Amino acid sequence: MMKLYADLTELNERDINAKTLKRLRILSILSLPFTPLLGVMEAHILTSPVLIGLTIVTILVSAVALFMLCINKLVNRVWVRDKYLDEWELGMKHRAMAFAFQVVLYAICTVLFVGVVLDIFDKLDFPPITPMALGYALFSLMMLGLYAQIYTQFAMIEPMDEDEFDTESSARRSLKGVIVTSGLLIVGLILAPFVLGVISGLKNPEQSEIAILSHEAKTTCEARGSSVHWVSIAKENYGFACFDQNRPAPSDLDPKGTEQ
Amino acid sequence: MLNWYANTFRISEKNITKAGLLRTKVFAWMMLMIVPLEMLGSDWIDNPKNLIISSLGAVAIVLSLIGWIALLLSPLVHRFWAPDKYLDEWEIEVKRKGMAAGYKVLFGALVIGLIYSAVFTEYGEATTKSLSYFRLDSLAFAVLILTFGIQTLVQLRLIRPIDQEDVEDEMQKGHSIWGRIAVVFAIFMLFFGPAFFQGLVDGWNESSTAETSQSLKYDGGASE
């Protein structure tokens, strides 16, 4: 498996010429807004539909750039085991990873200093951390490490001249590598949630009905300007209702979002 | 400043003898004892019903603290955090290899955390399973200690020990222990200083409030 990964990410002259490196730099810059904008969207800061639309488009563009960056051979090469790498690659790997390690560790230390020592989260009365917020924080740290690693690699590589490489075989191998790596990445990303979904669906078939109904209730109630909704999946009373926060909860449920 | 730091923690021959390396390794393992406790959380340790676990937890915390302080005093730890320009070739190599190993562990921990959060967001009760900041801090601290310990252990494994007979005692004279103690003190002050002074200020305020209330009580009694 590791041998296959090493073979797929084997670098050739094309991967480190000036044009490819320039393309990679552009991709890395394009992918930079992905993490902060995702945080902005999750925090529900934006209210204007135009701004929300623009943000979604930017997130999509940066997501594509990030995906292309993640399947690039140069980025993946540092994750190959040492025994498959040559001296130059080993030097690049260790230097890039050492720098990324320091960056992420300093970031964690800063968070700990702000959180534990200065006690800012408690003082500002922040709400407790949901798994979603935790995931976002971890993803941000991962991205920080990834960019530190990538930019160290860029700083270390001196691009090769165009005339020096043979185009035929390398182009074929490169295409094969990109297809297989992206295939593995997509399967890896989709397979785990898919299996979990199947297991969860088999265990609790009502779960999906609740999710669909909750989503429908949320969108309908929010469209009416009512922030609270109530969902019931009792066999006779399958439905939801929107009601004002200040009013008491309805004793009987009107189907399909009738205002109480 | 960084030059002073690099020089203060210059590695001497005595540090890389078999005994010196073994001692540092033991301290690193002792420091790592805190990791499972931090992962499990304080509720699990502070359980009055299970005194054995509580006692073992307390012993582990003390040992870990000893290991941590001993490691912070060791040049074998600090030297590899100095900038590359102050290090020898072999030191740079050991530093980078150790940090690369630490980065892999750190990345793995982040991925596991990400999977956990994805699973609980999607399939758990997202609102009731929220983490407190205290819990998050202890988890971050555990990850920090784990990666720092792994990095140190990998670096120690990469150093080839020298024979005890080759060690020259005169080499040791140049390196002052006071510099190291100053650095450790600065690190401790950075993390515990604000809390200490905050406690001091709170204590001061509370004592003056208590005195005021006492004098008010006294005045009240006198007027009656």
Side-chain angles (χ1 to χ4, degrees):
Chain A
M1 186 68 190
M2 290 310 287
K3 175 91 173 66
L4 175 75
Y5 183 57
D7 287 343
L8 290 174
T9 56
E10 196 179 340
L11 293 176
N12 53 47
E13 297 94 335
R14 274 180 78 93
D15 299 317
I16 47 172
N17 71 6
K19 214 186 273 178
T20 315
L21 287 174
K22 192 179 172 187
R23 199 171 57 225
L24 268 177
R25 280 199 182 97
I26 292 170
L27 278 177
S28 71
I29 292 166
L30 276 177
S31 68
L32 276 174
F34 181 73
T35 315
L37 286 183
L38 209 64
V40 168
M41 284 300 282
E42 278 304 318
H44 302 291
I45 299 168
L46 301 175
T47 47
S48 155
V50 179
L51 275 178
I52 292 173
L54 279 174
T55 313
I56 290 171
V57 171
T58 320
I59 286 176
L60 285 175
V61 171
S62 24
V64 172
L66 185 65
F67 180 75
M68 288 172 78
L69 199 67
C70 285
I71 59 166
N72 188 272
K73 287 201 282 183
L74 191 66
V75 176
N76 279 280
R77 193 65 182 160
V78 295
W79 291 95
V80 172
R81 291 181 74 175
D82 287 6
K83 63 177 174 182
Y84 302 117
L85 302 177
D86 59 33
E87 275 299 309
W88 175 79
E89 288 171 328
L90 268 178
M92 180 180 72
K93 171 187 172 169
H94 290 146
R95 193 169 167 187
M97 282 191 159
F99 183 65
F101 175 73
Q102 289 176 71
V103 168
V104 179
L105 219 65
Y106 286 136
I108 295 177
C109 279
T110 311
V111 174
L112 271 175
F113 185 77
V114 170
V116 180
V117 181
L118 302 180
D119 207 15
I120 282 178
F121 299 134
D122 273 348
K123 278 178 189 161
L124 293 179
D125 206 18
F126 271 42
I129 306 149
T130 57
M132 177 75 111
L134 176 71
Y136 177 72
L138 295 174
F139 181 72
S140 308
L141 280 174
M142 264 171 72
M143 286 293 112
L144 193 69
L146 191 74
Y147 284 116
Q149 173 212 311
I150 291 170
Y151 281 106
T152 314
Q153 283 177 280
F154 287 162
M156 283 182 73
I157 298 169
E158 272 176 34
M160 286 187 78
D161 283 339
E162 290 270 350
D163 342 317
E164 283 179 25
F165 53 85
D166 101 88
T167 46
E168 263 305 293
S169 61
S170 59
R172 218 181 305 126
R173 208 166 48 197
S174 165
L175 188 67
K176 190 182 150 201
V178 167
I179 291 167
V180 177
T181 316
S182 45
L184 285 173
L185 205 70
I186 290 168
V187 169
L189 283 173
I190 293 172
L191 202 65
F194 176 74
V195 171
L196 283 169
V198 170
I199 294 167
S200 166
L202 286 174
K203 273 185 178 171
N204 191 3
E206 287 162 9
Q207 193 85 23
S208 55
E209 285 173 9
I210 299 171
I212 293 164
L213 194 66
S214 295
H215 183 71
E216 202 183 332
K218 190 172 179 280
T219 44
T220 313
C221 295
E222 277 177 2
R224 288 178 178 194
S226 172
S227 58
V228 182
H229 58 267
W230 180 44
V231 179
S232 164
I233 54 145
K235 276 182 185 165
E236 288 82 19
N237 281 326
Y238 182 83
F240 64 86
C242 308
F243 55 91
D244 199 296
Q245 256 176 326
N246 301 321
R247 291 185 210 165
S251 52
D252 54 345
L253 182 72
D254 271 12
K256 290 290 163 195
T258 310
E259 193 79 44
Q260 298 291 305
Chain B
M1 183 69 186
L2 285 168
N3 189 13
W4 174 81
Y5 177 69
N7 280 330
T8 306
F9 291 101
R10 189 180 288 275
I11 295 172
S12 66
E13 289 167 345
K14 206 177 174 181
N15 298 129
I16 50 173
T17 57
K18 219 170 181 177
L21 288 174
L22 183 69
R23 201 167 44 233
T24 319
K25 269 181 204 167
V26 170
F27 287 140
W29 281 112
M30 274 165 70
M31 183 191 68
L32 284 174
M33 287 170 93
I34 196 86
V35 174
L37 297 177
E38 286 285 345
M39 293 264 185
L40 289 167
S42 58
D43 294 344
W44 193 77
I45 306 161
D46 296 340
N47 187 357
K49 286 177 188 166
N50 204 335
L51 279 175
I52 298 170
I53 289 177
S54 298
S55 322
L56 284 176
V59 171
I61 288 169
V62 171
L63 287 178
S64 178
L65 200 65
I66 293 170
W68 201 37
I69 293 169
L71 273 189
L72 284 181
L73 281 166
S74 168
L76 281 172
V77 172
H78 286 278
R79 182 70 178 165
F80 299 118
W81 284 91
D84 289 0
K85 62 179 174 181
Y86 302 116
L87 306 181
D88 298 336
E89 274 299 310
W90 75 270
E91 286 175 329
I92 292 175
E93 200 188 327
V94 169
K95 172 188 171 174
R96 286 182 183 162
K97 280 187 177 171
M99 285 188 169
Y103 182 60
K104 283 177 199 160
V105 173
L106 191 59
F107 207 82
L110 291 177
V111 170
I112 290 168
L114 208 58
I115 291 170
Y116 162 84
S117 76
V119 169
F120 273 91
T121 306
E122 216 39 57
Y123 304 104
E125 298 125 20
T127 45
T128 53
K129 289 273 177 187
S130 299
L131 281 172
S132 67
Y133 282 98
F134 179 73
R135 187 83 190 92
L136 186 73
D137 289 337
S138 73
L139 282 173
F141 186 68
V143 170
L144 195 76
I145 292 288
L146 181 71
T147 48
F148 177 62
I150 298 285
Q151 175 224 340
T152 308
L153 284 169
V154 170
Q155 282 167 348
L156 292 173
R157 199 173 61 92
L158 290 169
I159 299 171
R160 201 173 292 167
I162 58 167
D163 284 340
Q164 189 73 44
E165 297 138 20
D166 297 339
V167 179
E168 291 171 32
D169 283 340
E170 282 167 29
M171 286 284 290
Q172 311 304 315
K173 286 177 187 169
H175 307 127
S176 159
I177 187 75
W178 293 109
R180 294 184 210 167
I181 291 172
V183 172
V184 175
F185 181 72
I187 291 171
F188 268 84
M189 281 312 285
L190 190 69
F191 276 92
F192 302 113
F196 175 74
F197 288 114
Q198 184 69 44
L200 213 64
V201 171
D202 287 349
W204 176 264
N205 287 341
E206 269 174 31
S207 67
S208 53
T209 316
E211 275 172 20
T212 317
S213 63
Q214 262 186 351
S215 60
L216 278 173
K217 230 177 186 178
Y218 178 75
D219 282 352
S223 60
E224 274 169 24

mmCIF file with all atom_site columns, all heavy atoms in Angstrom, chain B residues 97-115:
data_model
loop_
_atom_site.group_PDB
_atom_site.id
_atom_site.type_symbol
_atom_site.label_atom_id
_atom_site.label_alt_id
_atom_site.label_comp_id
_atom_site.label_asym_id
_atom_site.label_entity_id
_atom_site.label_seq_id
_atom_site.pdbx_PDB_ins_code
_atom_site.Cartn_x
_atom_site.Cartn_y
_atom_site.Cartn_z
_atom_site.occupancy
_atom_site.B_iso_or_equiv
_atom_site.pdbx_formal_charge
_atom_site.auth_seq_id
_atom_site.auth_comp_id
_atom_site.auth_asym_id
_atom_site.auth_atom_id
_atom_site.pdbx_PDB_model_num
ATOM 1   N N   . LYS B 1 97  ? 14.241  15.457 11.925 1.00 0.00 ? 97  LYS B N   1
ATOM 2   C CA  . LYS B 1 97  ? 13.638  14.111 11.942 1.00 0.00 ? 97  LYS B CA  1
ATOM 3   C C   . LYS B 1 97  ? 12.668  13.972 13.119 1.00 0.00 ? 97  LYS B C   1
ATOM 4   O O   . LYS B 1 97  ? 11.585  13.419 12.979 1.00 0.00 ? 97  LYS B O   1
ATOM 5   C CB  . LYS B 1 97  ? 14.721  13.031 12.019 1.00 0.00 ? 97  LYS B CB  1
ATOM 6   C CG  . LYS B 1 97  ? 15.345  12.751 10.673 1.00 0.00 ? 97  LYS B CG  1
ATOM 7   C CD  . LYS B 1 97  ? 16.284  11.581 10.742 1.00 0.00 ? 97  LYS B CD  1
ATOM 8   C CE  . LYS B 1 97  ? 16.848  11.282 9.365  1.00 0.00 ? 97  LYS B CE  1
ATOM 9   N NZ  . LYS B 1 97  ? 17.916  10.301 9.405  1.00 0.00 ? 97  LYS B NZ  1
ATOM 10  N N   . GLY B 1 98  ? 13.085  14.462 14.277 1.00 0.00 ? 98  GLY B N   1
ATOM 11  C CA  . GLY B 1 98  ? 12.223  14.385 15.459 1.00 0.00 ? 98  GLY B CA  1
ATOM 12  C C   . GLY B 1 98  ? 10.947  15.181 15.271 1.00 0.00 ? 98  GLY B C   1
ATOM 13  O O   . GLY B 1 98  ? 9.848   14.720 15.599 1.00 0.00 ? 98  GLY B O   1
ATOM 14  N N   . MET B 1 99  ? 11.092  16.367 14.704 1.00 0.00 ? 99  MET B N   1
ATOM 15  C CA  . MET B 1 99  ? 9.913   17.216 14.511 1.00 0.00 ? 99  MET B CA  1
ATOM 16  C C   . MET B 1 99  ? 8.987   16.635 13.444 1.00 0.00 ? 99  MET B C   1
ATOM 17  O O   . MET B 1 99  ? 7.761   16.767 13.548 1.00 0.00 ? 99  MET B O   1
ATOM 18  C CB  . MET B 1 99  ? 10.339  18.631 14.149 1.00 0.00 ? 99  MET B CB  1
ATOM 19  C CG  . MET B 1 99  ? 10.877  19.382 15.346 1.00 0.00 ? 99  MET B CG  1
ATOM 20  S SD  . MET B 1 99  ? 11.168  21.093 14.988 1.00 0.00 ? 99  MET B SD  1
ATOM 21  C CE  . MET B 1 99  ? 11.453  21.729 16.628 1.00 0.00 ? 99  MET B CE  1
ATOM 22  N N   . ALA B 1 100 ? 9.576   16.009 12.426 1.00 0.00 ? 100 ALA B N   1
ATOM 23  C CA  . ALA B 1 100 ? 8.741   15.370 11.388 1.00 0.00 ? 100 ALA B CA  1
ATOM 24  C C   . ALA B 1 100 ? 7.908   14.248 12.010 1.00 0.00 ? 100 ALA B C   1
ATOM 25  O O   . ALA B 1 100 ? 6.714   14.110 11.705 1.00 0.00 ? 100 ALA B O   1
ATOM 26  C CB  . ALA B 1 100 ? 9.620   14.831 10.261 1.00 0.00 ? 100 ALA B CB  1
ATOM 27  N N   . ALA B 1 101 ? 8.530   13.486 12.911 1.00 0.00 ? 101 ALA B N   1
ATOM 28  C CA  . ALA B 1 101 ? 7.789   12.407 13.587 1.00 0.00 ? 101 ALA B CA  1
ATOM 29  C C   . ALA B 1 101 ? 6.684   12.998 14.465 1.00 0.00 ? 101 ALA B C   1
ATOM 30  O O   . ALA B 1 101 ? 5.549   12.500 14.486 1.00 0.00 ? 101 ALA B O   1
ATOM 31  C CB  . ALA B 1 101 ? 8.744   11.578 14.441 1.00 0.00 ? 101 ALA B CB  1
ATOM 32  N N   . GLY B 1 102 ? 7.015   14.079 15.175 1.00 0.00 ? 102 GLY B N   1
ATOM 33  C CA  . GLY B 1 102 ? 6.021   14.753 16.007 1.00 0.00 ? 102 GLY B CA  1
ATOM 34  C C   . GLY B 1 102 ? 4.868   15.287 15.178 1.00 0.00 ? 102 GLY B C   1
ATOM 35  O O   . GLY B 1 102 ? 3.705   15.201 15.575 1.00 0.00 ? 102 GLY B O   1
ATOM 36  N N   . TYR B 1 103 ? 5.183   15.798 13.996 1.00 0.00 ? 103 TYR B N   1
ATOM 37  C CA  . TYR B 1 103 ? 4.138   16.346 13.107 1.00 0.00 ? 103 TYR B CA  1
ATOM 38  C C   . TYR B 1 103 ? 3.179   15.252 12.647 1.00 0.00 ? 103 TYR B C   1
ATOM 39  O O   . TYR B 1 103 ? 1.966   15.471 12.581 1.00 0.00 ? 103 TYR B O   1
ATOM 40  C CB  . TYR B 1 103 ? 4.798   17.025 11.904 1.00 0.00 ? 103 TYR B CB  1
ATOM 41  C CG  . TYR B 1 103 ? 3.819   17.652 10.947 1.00 0.00 ? 103 TYR B CG  1
ATOM 42  C CD1 . TYR B 1 103 ? 2.954   18.659 11.380 1.00 0.00 ? 103 TYR B CD1 1
ATOM 43  C CD2 . TYR B 1 103 ? 3.757   17.263 9.624  1.00 0.00 ? 103 TYR B CD2 1
ATOM 44  C CE1 . TYR B 1 103 ? 2.060   19.245 10.505 1.00 0.00 ? 103 TYR B CE1 1
ATOM 45  C CE2 . TYR B 1 103 ? 2.866   17.844 8.746  1.00 0.00 ? 103 TYR B CE2 1
ATOM 46  C CZ  . TYR B 1 103 ? 2.021   18.837 9.183  1.00 0.00 ? 103 TYR B CZ  1
ATOM 47  O OH  . TYR B 1 103 ? 1.126   19.412 8.323  1.00 0.00 ? 103 TYR B OH  1
ATOM 48  N N   . LYS B 1 104 ? 3.739   14.069 12.365 1.00 0.00 ? 104 LYS B N   1
ATOM 49  C CA  . LYS B 1 104 ? 2.878   12.957 11.935 1.00 0.00 ? 104 LYS B CA  1
ATOM 50  C C   . LYS B 1 104 ? 1.889   12.587 13.052 1.00 0.00 ? 104 LYS B C   1
ATOM 51  O O   . LYS B 1 104 ? 0.713   12.358 12.802 1.00 0.00 ? 104 LYS B O   1
ATOM 52  C CB  . LYS B 1 104 ? 3.722   11.739 11.553 1.00 0.00 ? 104 LYS B CB  1
ATOM 53  C CG  . LYS B 1 104 ? 4.370   11.873 10.195 1.00 0.00 ? 104 LYS B CG  1
ATOM 54  C CD  . LYS B 1 104 ? 5.229   10.656 9.944  1.00 0.00 ? 104 LYS B CD  1
ATOM 55  C CE  . LYS B 1 104 ? 6.233   10.925 8.852  1.00 0.00 ? 104 LYS B CE  1
ATOM 56  N NZ  . LYS B 1 104 ? 7.344   10.002 8.881  1.00 0.00 ? 104 LYS B NZ  1
ATOM 57  N N   . VAL B 1 105 ? 2.403   12.530 14.282 1.00 0.00 ? 105 VAL B N   1
ATOM 58  C CA  . VAL B 1 105 ? 1.535   12.193 15.425 1.00 0.00 ? 105 VAL B CA  1
ATOM 59  C C   . VAL B 1 105 ? 0.471   13.283 15.609 1.00 0.00 ? 105 VAL B C   1
ATOM 60  O O   . VAL B 1 105 ? -0.720  12.997 15.800 1.00 0.00 ? 105 VAL B O   1
ATOM 61  C CB  . VAL B 1 105 ? 2.380   12.040 16.716 1.00 0.00 ? 105 VAL B CB  1
ATOM 62  C CG1 . VAL B 1 105 ? 1.488   11.857 17.931 1.00 0.00 ? 105 VAL B CG1 1
ATOM 63  C CG2 . VAL B 1 105 ? 3.321   10.869 16.586 1.00 0.00 ? 105 VAL B CG2 1
ATOM 64  N N   . LEU B 1 106 ? 0.925   14.521 15.508 1.00 0.00 ? 106 LEU B N   1
ATOM 65  C CA  . LEU B 1 106 ? 0.008   15.653 15.668 1.00 0.00 ? 106 LEU B CA  1
ATOM 66  C C   . LEU B 1 106 ? -1.082  15.624 14.597 1.00 0.00 ? 106 LEU B C   1
ATOM 67  O O   . LEU B 1 106 ? -2.271  15.800 14.887 1.00 0.00 ? 106 LEU B O   1
ATOM 68  C CB  . LEU B 1 106 ? 0.818   16.949 15.567 1.00 0.00 ? 106 LEU B CB  1
ATOM 69  C CG  . LEU B 1 106 ? 0.157   18.251 15.948 1.00 0.00 ? 106 LEU B CG  1
ATOM 70  C CD1 . LEU B 1 106 ? -0.323  18.194 17.378 1.00 0.00 ? 106 LEU B CD1 1
ATOM 71  C CD2 . LEU B 1 106 ? 1.126   19.405 15.787 1.00 0.00 ? 106 LEU B CD2 1
ATOM 72  N N   . PHE B 1 107 ? -0.676  15.375 13.370 1.00 0.00 ? 107 PHE B N   1
ATOM 73  C CA  . PHE B 1 107 ? -1.627  15.326 12.251 1.00 0.00 ? 107 PHE B CA  1
ATOM 74  C C   . PHE B 1 107 ? -2.619  14.180 12.465 1.00 0.00 ? 107 PHE B C   1
ATOM 75  O O   . PHE B 1 107 ? -3.822  14.335 12.233 1.00 0.00 ? 107 PHE B O   1
ATOM 76  C CB  . PHE B 1 107 ? -0.862  15.134 10.935 1.00 0.00 ? 107 PHE B CB  1
ATOM 77  C CG  . PHE B 1 107 ? -1.577  15.700 9.745  1.00 0.00 ? 107 PHE B CG  1
ATOM 78  C CD1 . PHE B 1 107 ? -1.490  17.038 9.439  1.00 0.00 ? 107 PHE B CD1 1
ATOM 79  C CD2 . PHE B 1 107 ? -2.346  14.894 8.927  1.00 0.00 ? 107 PHE B CD2 1
ATOM 80  C CE1 . PHE B 1 107 ? -2.154  17.571 8.350  1.00 0.00 ? 107 PHE B CE1 1
ATOM 81  C CE2 . PHE B 1 107 ? -3.013  15.411 7.834  1.00 0.00 ? 107 PHE B CE2 1
ATOM 82  C CZ  . PHE B 1 107 ? -2.906  16.766 7.548  1.00 0.00 ? 107 PHE B CZ  1
ATOM 83  N N   . GLY B 1 108 ? -2.091  13.040 12.929 1.00 0.00 ? 108 GLY B N   1
ATOM 84  C CA  . GLY B 1 108 ? -2.958  11.888 13.218 1.00 0.00 ? 108 GLY B CA  1
ATOM 85  C C   . GLY B 1 108 ? -3.987  12.227 14.290 1.00 0.00 ? 108 GLY B C   1
ATOM 86  O O   . GLY B 1 108 ? -5.168  11.901 14.151 1.00 0.00 ? 108 GLY B O   1
ATOM 87  N N   . ALA B 1 109 ? -3.530  12.914 15.339 1.00 0.00 ? 109 ALA B N   1
ATOM 88  C CA  . ALA B 1 109 ? -4.448  13.299 16.423 1.00 0.00 ? 109 ALA B CA  1
ATOM 89  C C   . ALA B 1 109 ? -5.519  14.253 15.904 1.00 0.00 ? 109 ALA B C   1
ATOM 90  O O   . ALA B 1 109 ? -6.699  14.136 16.272 1.00 0.00 ? 109 ALA B O   1
ATOM 91  C CB  . ALA B 1 109 ? -3.661  13.959 17.553 1.00 0.00 ? 109 ALA B CB  1
ATOM 92  N N   . LEU B 1 110 ? -5.117  15.170 15.032 1.00 0.00 ? 110 LEU B N   1
ATOM 93  C CA  . LEU B 1 110 ? -6.089  16.118 14.471 1.00 0.00 ? 110 LEU B CA  1
ATOM 94  C C   . LEU B 1 110 ? -7.115  15.385 13.605 1.00 0.00 ? 110 LEU B C   1
ATOM 95  O O   . LEU B 1 110 ? -8.312  15.689 13.655 1.00 0.00 ? 110 LEU B O   1
ATOM 96  C CB  . LEU B 1 110 ? -5.374  17.193 13.643 1.00 0.00 ? 110 LEU B CB  1
ATOM 97  C CG  . LEU B 1 110 ? -4.509  18.190 14.402 1.00 0.00 ? 110 LEU B CG  1
ATOM 98  C CD1 . LEU B 1 110 ? -3.821  19.145 13.440 1.00 0.00 ? 110 LEU B CD1 1
ATOM 99  C CD2 . LEU B 1 110 ? -5.329  18.995 15.393 1.00 0.00 ? 110 LEU B CD2 1
ATOM 100 N N   . VAL B 1 111 ? -6.644  14.409 12.824 1.00 0.00 ? 111 VAL B N   1
ATOM 101 C CA  . VAL B 1 111 ? -7.568  13.645 11.961 1.00 0.00 ? 111 VAL B CA  1
ATOM 102 C C   . VAL B 1 111 ? -8.557  12.851 12.820 1.00 0.00 ? 111 VAL B C   1
ATOM 103 O O   . VAL B 1 111 ? -9.762  12.838 12.536 1.00 0.00 ? 111 VAL B O   1
ATOM 104 C CB  . VAL B 1 111 ? -6.778  12.713 11.004 1.00 0.00 ? 111 VAL B CB  1
ATOM 105 C CG1 . VAL B 1 111 ? -7.706  11.739 10.295 1.00 0.00 ? 111 VAL B CG1 1
ATOM 106 C CG2 . VAL B 1 111 ? -6.026  13.535 9.975  1.00 0.00 ? 111 VAL B CG2 1
ATOM 107 N N   . ILE B 1 112 ? -8.057  12.218 13.900 1.00 0.00 ? 112 ILE B N   1
ATOM 108 C CA  . ILE B 1 112 ? -8.949  11.445 14.785 1.00 0.00 ? 112 ILE B CA  1
ATOM 109 C C   . ILE B 1 112 ? -10.003 12.382 15.403 1.00 0.00 ? 112 ILE B C   1
ATOM 110 O O   . ILE B 1 112 ? -11.192 12.061 15.449 1.00 0.00 ? 112 ILE B O   1
ATOM 111 C CB  . ILE B 1 112 ? -8.132  10.718 15.885 1.00 0.00 ? 112 ILE B CB  1
ATOM 112 C CG1 . ILE B 1 112 ? -7.315  9.594  15.245 1.00 0.00 ? 112 ILE B CG1 1
ATOM 113 C CG2 . ILE B 1 112 ? -9.037  10.134 16.974 1.00 0.00 ? 112 ILE B CG2 1
ATOM 114 C CD1 . ILE B 1 112 ? -6.271  8.987  16.155 1.00 0.00 ? 112 ILE B CD1 1
ATOM 115 N N   . GLY B 1 113 ? -9.547  13.549 15.840 1.00 0.00 ? 113 GLY B N   1
ATOM 116 C CA  . GLY B 1 113 ? -10.477 14.534 16.407 1.00 0.00 ? 113 GLY B CA  1
ATOM 117 C C   . GLY B 1 113 ? -11.514 14.977 15.401 1.00 0.00 ? 113 GLY B C   1
ATOM 118 O O   . GLY B 1 113 ? -12.697 15.143 15.721 1.00 0.00 ? 113 GLY B O   1
ATOM 119 N N   . LEU B 1 114 ? -11.071 15.141 14.167 1.00 0.00 ? 114 LEU B N   1
ATOM 120 C CA  . LEU B 1 114 ? -11.977 15.570 13.090 1.00 0.00 ? 114 LEU B CA  1
ATOM 121 C C   . LEU B 1 114 ? -13.031 14.494 12.810 1.00 0.00 ? 114 LEU B C   1
ATOM 122 O O   . LEU B 1 114 ? -14.215 14.799 12.632 1.00 0.00 ? 114 LEU B O   1
ATOM 123 C CB  . LEU B 1 114 ? -11.152 15.842 11.828 1.00 0.00 ? 114 LEU B CB  1
ATOM 124 C CG  . LEU B 1 114 ? -11.697 16.854 10.848 1.00 0.00 ? 114 LEU B CG  1
ATOM 125 C CD1 . LEU B 1 114 ? -11.896 18.205 11.491 1.00 0.00 ? 114 LEU B CD1 1
ATOM 126 C CD2 . LEU B 1 114 ? -10.769 16.982 9.656  1.00 0.00 ? 114 LEU B CD2 1
ATOM 127 N N   . ILE B 1 115 ? -12.601 13.232 12.811 1.00 0.00 ? 115 ILE B N   1
ATOM 128 C CA  . ILE B 1 115 ? -13.540 12.127 12.580 1.00 0.00 ? 115 ILE B CA  1
ATOM 129 C C   . ILE B 1 115 ? -14.550 12.071 13.735 1.00 0.00 ? 115 ILE B C   1
ATOM 130 O O   . ILE B 1 115 ? -15.756 11.949 13.509 1.00 0.00 ? 115 ILE B O   1
ATOM 131 C CB  . ILE B 1 115 ? -12.788 10.784 12.434 1.00 0.00 ? 115 ILE B CB  1
ATOM 132 C CG1 . ILE B 1 115 ? -11.991 10.778 11.133 1.00 0.00 ? 115 ILE B CG1 1
ATOM 133 C CG2 . ILE B 1 115 ? -13.762 9.596  12.453 1.00 0.00 ? 115 ILE B CG2 1
ATOM 134 C CD1 . ILE B 1 115 ? -11.031 9.630  10.976 1.00 0.00 ? 115 ILE B CD1 1
#
